Amino acid sequence: MKEYNIVITGVGGQGVLTAANILGWAALHAGHKVRMGEVHGMSQRFGSVVSYVRFGEEVYGSMVPEGKGDVILAFEPVEALRYINYLKEGGMVVVNTKPIVPVQVSMGKARYPELEEIRKIVEEDFKAKWIGFNAEELAIKAGHVVTTNTVLIGALTQIPEFPLDAEHVREVIRLSVPPKAVEMNMKAFDLGVQAAKEILGL
Amino acid sequence: MAKVTDMVLWDKPGEKVLLLGNQAIARGALEANIAVYAAYPGTPSSELTDTMAVVAKRAGVYMEYSTNEKVAFETALAAAWSGLRAMTAMKHVGLNVAADTFMSAVGMGVEGGFVIMVADDPSMWSSQNEQDTRVYAKFANVPVLEPISPHEAKEMTKYAFELSEKFKHFVILRTTTRTSHARGDVVLGELPEEIKHAKRKFGNFKKDPSRFVDVPANARKFHPVILEKIEKIREELNNCPFNWIEGKEDAKVGIIAPGLSYAYVKEALHWLGVEDVKILKLGTPFPVPYGLLEKFFDGLEKVLIVEELEPVVEEQVKTWAYDKGITIPIHGKDLVPRVYEMTTRRAVEAITKFLGIDTPVNYEELDAKYQKVLDMVPPRPPSLCPACPHRNSFYAIKKATRGKGIYPSDIGCYTLGLLPPLNAVDTTVAMGGSIGIAHGLEIAQHGSLSEEQRKNEKKVVVATIGDSTFYHTGLPALANAIYNRSNILVVVLDNLVTAMTGDQPNPSTGQTPHGEGKRIPIEDVAKAMGADFVAVVDPYDIKATHETIKKALEVEGVSVVVARQVCALYRIGQMRKRGEKWPIYYVDEEKCTGCRACINAYGCPAIYWDEEKKQARVEPTMCWGCGGCAQVCPFGAFKPVEGGEE
C-alpha cells in the first residue's frame, strides 16, 4: 500500500493522542511503515487538537498534507469542520456528534453552528461522506465516557477501504488498556462497529 | 503492550518499535553509552528529558532536572570535560538562557562526547518565538545535525557523540516539533554493557587552566582553534551517513533538502510524479560539506533549496557557488517562505513554481472553500483546565485590584490567564521576565497613576509567575526588585509541579525522579531576600486569597504571595490512578438567575450556557470538583452531586 492518511481531531483531554497511538501501533503490527504527528504542551489544554496517523510505503513526514487525508476521525463536530481542509475529495468524516461548547460561545462572543450546517458543508462543499453519531452516549453505555475514543475507532474500522483489519485493531486496544478496563473497551469498540454498520447499511 | 519507557531500555537489537522522536533520541543516547544527562524541560524537547528521568537509574546514568538551561548545560559540560559522554536538552529559547556558557566554553572543547539537543518550534505551537537554532550553530561554529525521522534521530544521536569526541567539539542535535513529536518505527540497536547492567560511569577531570580558564590571555587562543575545527568537521561531513545525493544522476535540475524538509520534498515529488531530478539530502545544515556540493552541482542547470525558516543552507551554498564561479540559478527564499513551518504543501508550491508545472490540488479553490469554514467555526484556544488553581488566583487578583492593575505575567500554563474572561495577563516575554518587567513598569508608572489608583491601593503592578519559572530565572529579578526598593506585588502561582511541560518536579516540592532532592519553600526564599510582606494562601479558598492579596497590596515595598495548590490536571491524574472519586458540581435550576457571573468573570471550561433555559450548566465529564464555581456564584446555584463520580 502506498499510503493511508488519518486525521484525528478533537478537544484537548478527549483522548485524541491515545486514539492516534492505538492506530499507529495497529498499523505497525500490520507491517506498515508508520508516521504520526502530534502537538504537545500548551495546545493540549482544552483547546482544539489534531493528530495525524499515516502509514504505507510513501509516507515520510508526520503531517497529513492538505487535501490528502483519507478520513477525519473527529471527537467533536466543529473540530471535524476546523480541519476539513486536510480531507481529500470523496474522503470520509467519522464524527462524534456530541458538541463541547467553547467558552467564547458561552460568553455570547461566538456562535456554535448547527449540526446540519456542519454536515452540509462537509457533504456539499468538500464532497465528503459523513458518518455521524453520538459516540459519547455509546461510551457511557459501554461503561465510561473515557471509552469514547474506542467507540470512534470501532466505527472507523468499518469504513470502506479502511486498510486495517477490525479484529486486529480490537486486539491492539485489548492489549493497550489496563486489565480492569478491557471489558468496557471491548464493548465500546463493538458499539462503535455496530453504529457505523447501521449508518453505512452494512 | 509494553510501556514506552520499558521499550527504550529493551535489550532486543533488531526489534521494531513505535517511538516518539524524543524517545528515540533517549534510546540513541543509551546506545551511545551516555553517562550524564541534565536538562530543564521545554516543549517540544520535554519527553526526551522525561524518558531519561524514568530510565536513568535502571541504566546507570546520572540524570537531573536542573533549575534552568544554563545550569543544565554547565552540569553536562563539566561531565564531558571529565571524559564522560554527556547530554543536555532544551527548547530553542532555552539556548538563549544557556548561551552565555555555550558561546564562551565552545573554544575549550570537550573530552567526552557532548551533545546539545535543541528542539525548535517553527509555527510556534507552544513557544514565544520561532528562532532557528541553526543560526546559533553558525554563530558559535558548532556543527548541527537535523534528523528526518525518529529512527534517524536515534542513529544521529549516536553519531553526534562520536563526532563530538573525534573533534573534541560541541555538537548540536536540532529537532523541530515535527520530529520531536513525530512517532515512527524505530529499529533498536545494541545497548552497551554498562547500560544493560546499570553500571554508573565516573570521569576524571584533568586540570588545565590554560584551557578551562577563559581569561583574555587564554581566550584569545580559542577563536582560531574553533575555526580550524569547524573546517575540519566540514571536510568530515562529506562522508557523514546522513548526507547523500539521490535521484537521477544526469538530471538537469537539483533540489537541496536540509533536515526534515527532505521528507516534504520526497512526498511532494512523489505526489507530483516528478522523477527527473537530483536531490541533496543534508542531515548537517551547518557546516554544509563542500565536497558533496561539488558532486551535486555537476551537470545541474538550476537548483532549488527547500529550507524551513532562515536561509542558513542557502547562504552557505550561494557563497560557495560565488567563490567557485558557478552562475546557474539558485532558488531558495524567493520560492520558499521564511516564516512558519515547512509542509508538504509548501514544498509542492515551491517545486511546481520552480519547474513550471501544476499543483495536484487546486489550492486557490481549497483556500476559498476553507475560508468559509474558518468564518463560521468558533475559536477554541487552549484554556486553563477545570479546577485550575491559577484561575482562582487570577480571579482574586482582578477583584482585589478592581481590574485596574497592570498584570505582567510569565511563561507557563498561567499565560492562558490572558484569555477572556480573565484578561489577567498584560505582558509575557520570557522565562522569569514577569518580575523585572513589573519592576520597570512600576518605576515608569509611579507618579503617573490616576488619583483613584493612588487613593485605592498602594500598588498597582501585580506580577504572576509559576513555581518552576520562579526558580528558573525569577530569583535574580526578585533580588533586584527588593534591593532597589521596588513597590510591586509578586504572586507566585505555586502548583507544585512544572505543569505546562508535563508535570516535572522542581525545588518547590523537592521531589526528584529519584526521590533524594531537597525542598526549597518559595516563602522562605522571599523572606530571606528581604521581601516586605510574605504570605502563603490556598487559591481554592477564593475569599482568603482575595483578602491576602488586598493586604499585600497595602504594604509599601515588595510583597510576595505564594498561592499554593497542586495542579488540577496532575491531581486528577493521580486520583484516577488510585481509583479515587471527586465531587461533581451541578447547577440548581431553582437558584440560577442566568446572570452569567460564572461564565463572564470566572470562565471554567466545564461551565457552559444553556441557550434554551438561559442558565448556566456544568458539563459533568469535565468538572474536576474544585468548587470554585460555588464560591463565585452570588446566588449559591452550584452544588456538589451527592456521592461524587469517577
Side-chain angles (χ1 to χ4, degrees):
Chain A
M1 190 191 49
K2 291 276 182 215
E3 66 178 294
Y4 194 78
N5 293 309
I6 308 170
V7 179
I8 311 178
T9 71
V11 179
Q14 277 193 303
V16 167
L17 286 184
T18 312
N21 222 346
I22 283 166
L23 291 167
W25 271 106
L28 186 80
H29 282 316
H32 297 293
K33 173 181 168 187
V34 181
R35 287 285 179 278
M36 292 160 61
E38 46 204 70
V39 169
H40 297 207
M42 186 175 266
S43 317
Q44 273 179 298
R45 302 285 181 265
F46 294 86
S48 161
V49 289
V50 60
S51 240
Y52 310 98
V53 180
R54 324 183 59 201
F55 46 93
E57 293 149 37
E58 296 294 342
V59 299
Y60 294 90
S62 62
M63 286 184 291
V64 172
E66 277 177 84
K68 225 175 182 214
D70 292 285
V71 57
I72 292 178
L73 183 66
F75 283 51
E76 205 276 348
V78 295
E79 297 312 318
L81 202 50
R82 198 186 306 279
Y83 300 96
I84 195 73
N85 53 325
Y86 285 98
L87 199 66
K88 70 178 186 190
E89 220 166 84
M92 299 269 170
V93 178
V94 178
V95 55
N96 173 20
T97 50
K98 166 81 194 295
I100 294 178
V101 179
V103 172
Q104 301 209 21
V105 172
S106 284
M107 289 178 74
K109 290 187 172 169
R111 178 182 159 270
Y112 195 100
E114 297 293 331
L115 200 59
E116 274 313 303
E117 271 178 273
I118 298 174
R119 180 176 179 153
K120 204 170 153 226
I121 290 178
V122 167
E123 289 181 338
E124 289 175 12
D125 293 5
F126 288 84
K127 315 258 182 299
K129 182 145 177 62
W130 171 273
I131 302 168
F133 62 97
N134 190 329
E136 189 177 303
E137 215 171 76
L138 296 180
I140 292 166
K141 208 168 137 191
H144 200 283
V145 65
V146 297
T147 62
T148 304
N149 52 10
T150 307
V151 173
L152 287 167
I153 293 173
L156 175 71
T157 60
Q158 299 306 307
I159 65 170
E161 286 161 42
F162 186 71
L164 301 174
D165 179 59
E167 267 313 303
H168 169 69
V169 177
R170 194 174 185 272
E171 184 62 11
V172 170
I173 294 173
R174 198 178 64 79
L175 292 171
S176 37
V177 300
K180 61 172 183 177
V182 167
E183 205 188 313
M184 151 173 115
N185 273 283
M186 295 300 96
K187 197 170 166 197
F189 186 90
D190 296 340
L191 287 171
V193 168
Q194 203 185 320
K197 277 190 170 158
E198 273 165 31
I199 294 167
L200 291 162
L202 297 173
Chain B
M1 198 177 296
K3 275 206 286 191
V4 169
T5 42
D6 290 337
M7 287 189 287
V8 170
L9 261 183
W10 265 358
D11 183 22
K12 295 183 185 176
E15 183 87 10
K16 201 186 258 187
V17 293
L18 192 61
L19 292 182
L20 201 61
N22 283 339
Q23 294 159 346
I25 294 170
R27 171 72 188 198
L30 295 174
E31 287 180 15
N33 207 8
I34 187 176
V36 171
Y37 181 95
Y40 181 81
T43 315
S45 77
S46 310
E47 298 80 8
L48 167 53
T49 304
D50 296 343
T51 306
M52 292 305 291
V54 179
V55 301
K57 216 160 192 181
R58 286 189 278 159
V61 176
Y62 174 83
M63 178 275 162
E64 71 171 38
Y65 285 110
S66 308
T67 47
N68 72 29
E69 293 86 353
K70 182 171 181 285
V71 180
F73 191 103
E74 287 152 358
T75 305
L77 173 65
W81 281 351
S82 306
L84 297 174
R85 286 194 167 182
M87 189 176 199
T88 183
M90 58 203 75
K91 67 184 293 167
H92 56 320
V93 287
L95 189 53
N96 299 336
V97 178
D100 200 358
T101 303
F102 172 65
M103 294 301 293
S104 296
V106 63
M108 300 174 185
V110 290
E111 287 301 305
F114 181 49
V115 179
I116 306 153
M117 185 276 202
V118 188
D120 287 5
D121 191 14
S123 284
M124 296 160 282
W125 298 104
S126 210
S127 300
Q128 57 269 48
N129 77 23
E130 62 174 0
Q131 69 187 45
D132 187 335
T133 294
R134 302 173 311 154
V135 178
Y136 254 121
K138 191 168 172 248
F139 190 22
N141 284 298
V142 166
V144 56
L145 307 173
E146 191 193 333
I148 55 168
S149 67
H151 181 75
E152 196 183 78
K154 176 178 82 82
E155 295 301 310
M156 243 180 203
T157 306
K158 288 195 277 186
Y159 177 81
F161 277 106
E162 286 160 19
L163 189 69
S164 168
E165 236 156 58
K166 182 167 181 181
F167 292 91
K168 295 182 182 289
H169 200 43
F170 296 180
V171 173
I172 294 175
L173 176 68
R174 182 236 190 194
T175 66
T176 64
T177 302
R178 299 304 178 180
T179 30
S180 272
H181 291 167
R183 253 174 242 272
D185 33 299
V186 172
V187 181
L188 302 180
E190 295 274 355
L191 284 178
E193 289 303 312
E194 287 101 323
I195 298 285
K196 276 197 261 187
H197 298 109
K199 192 165 176 286
R200 179 87 182 265
K201 299 169 283 278
F202 294 96
N204 180 17
F205 176 67
K206 293 196 183 73
K207 290 187 185 186
D208 181 359
S210 71
R211 178 178 173 190
F212 296 119
V213 180
D214 56 2
V215 290
N218 291 338
R220 267 178 217 120
K221 293 175 219 149
F222 294 166
H223 201 174
V225 171
I226 298 167
L227 293 177
E228 198 182 309
K229 270 188 193 173
I230 200 69
E231 289 314 312
K232 279 190 185 149
I233 291 171
R234 193 191 293 279
E235 191 62 36
E236 171 88 7
L237 294 179
N238 283 310
N239 302 312
C240 167
F242 308 106
N243 294 331
W244 66 74
I245 296 167
E246 67 176 52
K248 206 158 163 241
E249 215 172 299
D250 59 352
K252 298 275 180 276
V253 294
I255 297 175
I256 300 179
L260 187 58
S261 295
Y262 170 81
Y264 303 118
V265 165
K266 286 285 281 186
E267 287 196 357
L269 292 172
H270 178 254
W271 200 0
L272 294 165
V274 173
E275 283 171 359
D276 197 9
V277 61
K278 191 152 71 163
I279 303 171
L280 173 58
K281 187 267 188 199
L282 265 184
T284 62
F286 179 83
V288 172
Y290 295 149
L292 263 186
L293 278 187
E294 191 125 26
K295 241 190 257 171
F296 176 72
F297 267 74
D298 187 34
L300 291 181
E301 287 171 7
K302 60 176 180 176
V303 168
L304 168 67
I305 301 160
V306 180
E307 184 173 18
E308 194 172 51
L309 300 183
E310 297 302 308
V312 172
V313 169
E314 184 176 338
E315 283 173 6
Q316 291 176 81
V317 170
K318 283 183 172 168
T319 308
W320 168 85
Y322 183 87
D323 288 348
K324 282 268 165 191
I326 292 169
T327 54
I328 63 165
I330 301 173
H331 296 278
K333 288 297 154 192
D334 54 333
L335 297 179
V336 182
R338 193 167 169 169
V339 296
Y340 312 142
E341 70 182 358
M342 181 64 65
T343 59
T344 301
R345 172 176 173 172
R346 284 183 160 197
V348 163
E349 286 176 318
I351 292 168
T352 49
K353 269 184 218 151
F354 175 62
L355 297 177
I357 57 174
D358 286 336
T359 57
V361 168
N362 184 338
Y363 288 120
E364 217 172 291
E365 204 178 277
L366 177 68
D367 289 345
K369 273 198 299 192
Y370 187 54
Q371 190 54 50
K372 205 176 121 189
V373 169
L374 287 178
D375 291 342
M376 72 176 289
V377 171
R380 195 191 305 271
S383 76
L384 294 172
C385 297
C388 175
H390 301 333
R391 175 177 297 104
N392 295 9
S393 297
F394 282 130
Y395 180 83
I397 290 167
K398 288 292 290 281
K399 211 171 155 202
T401 51
R402 292 171 197 81
K404 287 174 181 153
I406 306 174
Y407 312 109
S409 191
D410 227 295
I411 307 282
C413 291
Y414 46 89
T415 311
L416 295 171
L418 152 85
L419 296 168
L422 293 168
N423 304 312
V425 171
D426 291 327
T427 72
T428 298
V429 194
M431 289 290 286
S434 59
I435 301 175
I437 295 284
H439 172 55
L441 283 170
E442 208 287 318
I443 290 169
Q445 313 310 305
H446 197 81
S448 60
L449 299 178
S450 72
E451 275 300 315
E452 193 199 8
Q453 279 171 322
R454 264 199 298 270
K455 199 173 69 197
N456 284 336
E457 56 257 321
K458 287 214 167 79
K459 287 188 224 309
V460 288
V461 183
V462 183
T464 45
I465 182 169
D467 44 343
S468 190
T469 309
F470 178 77
Y471 290 108
H472 180 283
T473 28
L475 288 172
L478 182 62
N480 180 69
I482 294 169
Y483 164 57
N484 285 301
R485 292 201 177 280
S486 199
N487 188 27
I488 57 172
L489 166 59
V490 177
V491 179
V492 184
L493 306 167
D494 183 7
N495 62 359
L496 305 164
V497 284
T498 310
M500 173 111 283
T501 49
D503 302 332
Q504 292 83 1
N506 68 54
S508 183
T509 60
Q511 298 292 323
T512 74
H514 330 296
E516 68 268 32
K518 188 164 180 177
R519 177 168 182 246
I520 312 171
I522 293 162
E523 58 276 23
D524 289 4
V525 174
K527 277 181 209 153
M529 277 190 184
D532 301 284
F533 176 92
V534 180
V536 182
V537 287
D538 175 4
Y540 273 1
D541 185 340
I542 296 178
K543 194 168 165 232
T545 306
H546 172 230
E547 276 163 12
T548 306
I549 287 170
K550 262 182 88 173
K551 217 184 285 170
L553 288 169
E554 281 158 15
V555 175
E556 182 92 35
V558 176
S559 299
V560 176
V561 172
V562 182
R564 181 171 294 141
Q565 177 59 246
V566 69
C567 165
L569 188 60
Y570 179 75
R571 174 175 58 84
I572 290 296
Q574 298 291 313
M575 288 176 83
R576 276 196 181 128
K577 267 187 212 159
R578 296 193 294 259
E580 290 173 13
K581 290 170 188 282
W582 56 87
I584 301 286
Y585 282 74
Y586 73 100
V587 173
D588 182 342
E589 293 185 30
E590 302 284 304
K591 295 212 164 165
C592 178
T593 64
C595 75
R596 292 208 208 206
C598 52
I599 289 168
N600 290 344
Y602 188 61
C604 171
I607 304 172
Y608 66 95
W609 182 248
D610 185 334
E611 195 51 60
E612 246 168 67
K613 297 242 171 107
K614 305 282 178 211
Q615 280 189 331
R617 286 288 175 272
V618 176
E619 168 56 49
T621 60
M622 286 170 75
C623 175
W624 290 350
C626 71
C629 51
Q631 295 178 57
V632 299
C633 176
F635 305 100
F638 289 91
K639 292 171 178 174
V641 179
E642 282 302 311
E645 210 259 2
E646 166 20 347

